[in-house]
Amino acid sequence: MRAITDPQHVELLPDPVHPGAPAGQWWPPRVLSPSWLDEHAPEFDVLHIHFGLESFTPEQLSRALGRARRHGRPVIYTVHDLENPQLTDQAAYLRLLDVIVPSADEVLTLTPTAAAEVRRRWNRACTVIAHPSLLETSPAPGPHAITDASDTLRIGLHLRDLRPNIDAERGVAVLAEAVAALGLRGISAEVEVRLNTRVRDEDLADRLARAAATAESRVRILRGERLSDDELAGWLSTLDAFVLPYRHGTHSGWVELCYDLAVPVVGTRVGHVRSQHPADFFAFDLDDASSLVDALDGVASRTRAGTDRDAEVARRRARRQTQRDEVRAQHLDVYLRALANQALGERAGA
């Protein structure tokens, strides 16, 4: 939230912590509790919701939005996800969207194509505001980038904790096929797959390890503790391509971070991920290894064209700094508009 709020004009209140919650433990947002809203509504002007809807039923969400309205507090909702990446069955989540998208005072989203989908599904206009940079500081330059045909293409895949929207098994399998096929085209490639120590499906993690061990390709799995932000940026900056084997989704923070680091993304055609940075996105089909081969071949060809990655990262960082100011100004305009409309409504109802 700090990236989108101008500290000179917007005071960002801390997310209320559940009593007794361990440090760093995620809990359903208390701001969507009617009792919390009754007690704390005088302390804020605008309620801006990004994530956490799946913790509530549609009835609970409707009551919370009604309570905010009763207290005269505009609700802003940013549509990051039209499909929830944490869930397999989307039915309950879609019912939540049916509650909040029509009733929020202002609706925002990240891409024009997502805004078009929101209008198509709910006849609701969205303000489109780009996702700001995820980098706080410039990372150290990565030690690797291919420059000629003799170099090895380094491909990265991070499976995190094996959340539902990532097709980890098919992703690893299709990468193994693609690396073998790239060799036939004279392109040397290796794949580094990262996986958290703690995962949601240990059996799947074991299958992935066995597949990597037996594949006749240069695929290896590195399993360890969650990387810090700096460690993650440092790892990504050593790659020539980063693969996103999504089965479903809407937008992706990975795409933003890879853009900051000038690392091309090779991803599936799901949601509106490609719309975030289309010039840096190479699409493929999880069920068609040849499409992944073509995408990676395209990455290799572009990288060998001689782009100076360090210079490109510096150029993008300068653009991102300007964009941050624009994003903050756009959010401030939305907040002020919501407050002005709220005041008009109160006067009209007086």
Side-chain angles (χ1 to χ4, degrees):
M1 283 292 289
R2 288 184 173 83
I4 67 171
T5 49
D6 184 345
Q8 294 184 351
H9 299 96
V10 179
E11 180 184 2
L12 180 60
L13 301 179
D15 193 28
V17 178
H18 281 254
Q25 172 68 51
W26 186 89
W27 290 91
R30 294 184 69 198
V31 297
L32 290 178
S33 163
S35 60
W36 188 92
L37 289 165
D38 287 341
E39 183 177 352
H40 297 278
E43 300 170 13
F44 67 92
D45 300 302
V46 171
L47 177 60
H48 192 164
I49 302 168
H50 290 260
F51 301 105
L53 297 185
E54 68 274 13
S55 303
F56 303 92
T57 66
E59 294 74 23
Q60 289 171 326
L61 179 60
S62 182
R63 284 197 294 272
L65 297 177
R67 198 64 57 90
R69 188 174 299 109
R70 184 186 306 172
H71 289 293
R73 298 298 179 262
V75 173
I76 316 298
Y77 180 54
T78 295
V79 184
H80 291 273
D81 297 320
L82 288 161
E83 293 182 290
N84 193 309
Q86 305 292 343
L87 304 172
T88 301
D89 185 351
Q90 298 292 316
Y93 181 72
L94 296 180
R95 288 195 292 271
L96 292 165
L97 292 180
D98 284 339
V99 171
I100 194 168
V101 173
S103 61
D105 295 274
E106 295 278 347
V107 180
L108 317 180
T109 195
L110 308 180
T111 56
T113 53
E117 182 175 348
V118 170
R119 181 179 287 279
R120 198 163 54 243
R121 289 169 60 177
W122 290 283
N123 194 29
R124 185 71 199 266
C126 281
T127 299
V128 178
I129 304 180
H131 197 298
S133 172
L134 290 174
L135 289 180
E136 292 294 330
T137 59
S138 295
H144 185 275
I146 61 173
T147 58
D148 57 50
S150 65
D151 287 337
T152 296
L153 185 73
R154 264 183 57 82
I155 305 164
L157 169 61
H158 203 312
L159 300 175
R160 301 176 67 177
D161 65 349
L162 299 176
R163 71 182 186 182
N165 78 316
I166 297 175
D167 194 332
E169 199 157 17
R170 185 58 190 148
V172 170
V174 76
L175 271 168
E177 294 179 58
V179 168
L182 285 170
L184 297 177
R185 296 189 184 187
I187 300 173
S188 173
E190 63 182 17
V191 178
E192 187 168 288
V193 180
R194 287 189 172 265
L195 183 64
N196 290 354
T197 299
R198 297 179 60 184
V199 295
R200 305 184 193 205
D201 187 337
E202 193 61 48
D203 290 339
L204 174 55
D206 290 341
R207 292 199 302 273
L208 294 173
R210 290 195 298 270
T214 58
E216 293 182 5
S217 61
R218 300 174 69 178
V219 178
R220 61 179 180 144
I221 293 183
L222 300 178
R223 193 165 178 185
E225 295 301 317
R226 182 180 180 275
L227 298 177
S228 69
D229 291 346
D230 288 342
E231 289 170 338
L232 181 59
W235 174 66
L236 285 171
S237 68
T238 70
L239 303 176
D240 301 301
F242 183 72
V243 176
L244 285 177
Y246 287 162
R247 276 296 185 191
H248 67 271
T250 307
H251 298 111
S252 173
W254 287 108
V255 171
E256 299 297 334
L257 186 53
C258 286
Y259 174 81
D260 289 331
L261 297 167
V263 176
V265 172
V266 179
T268 49
R269 299 175 180 87
V270 299
H272 304 281
V273 177
R274 189 176 191 174
S275 296
Q276 290 175 251
H277 297 285
D280 277 11
F281 193 93
F282 294 77
F284 79 102
D285 185 337
L286 266 173
D287 299 315
D288 179 8
S290 65
S291 69
L292 179 55
V293 175
D294 290 342
L296 291 170
D297 197 347
V299 169
S301 297
R302 193 174 81 171
T303 305
R304 289 176 182 140
T307 301
D308 183 333
R309 181 181 286 183
D310 293 343
E312 181 61 23
V313 169
R315 282 192 292 270
R316 292 185 183 191
R317 180 149 187 84
R319 288 200 296 268
R320 287 293 221 175
Q321 289 173 337
T322 300
Q323 183 194 52
R324 182 196 63 182
D325 295 338
E326 295 170 350
V327 165
R328 288 177 168 180
Q330 287 174 294
H331 278 89
L332 180 59
D333 286 345
V334 169
Y335 298 155
L336 293 176
R337 182 170 67 233
L339 288 168
N341 290 337
Q342 178 67 36
L344 285 173
E346 289 176 353
R347 286 199 292 272

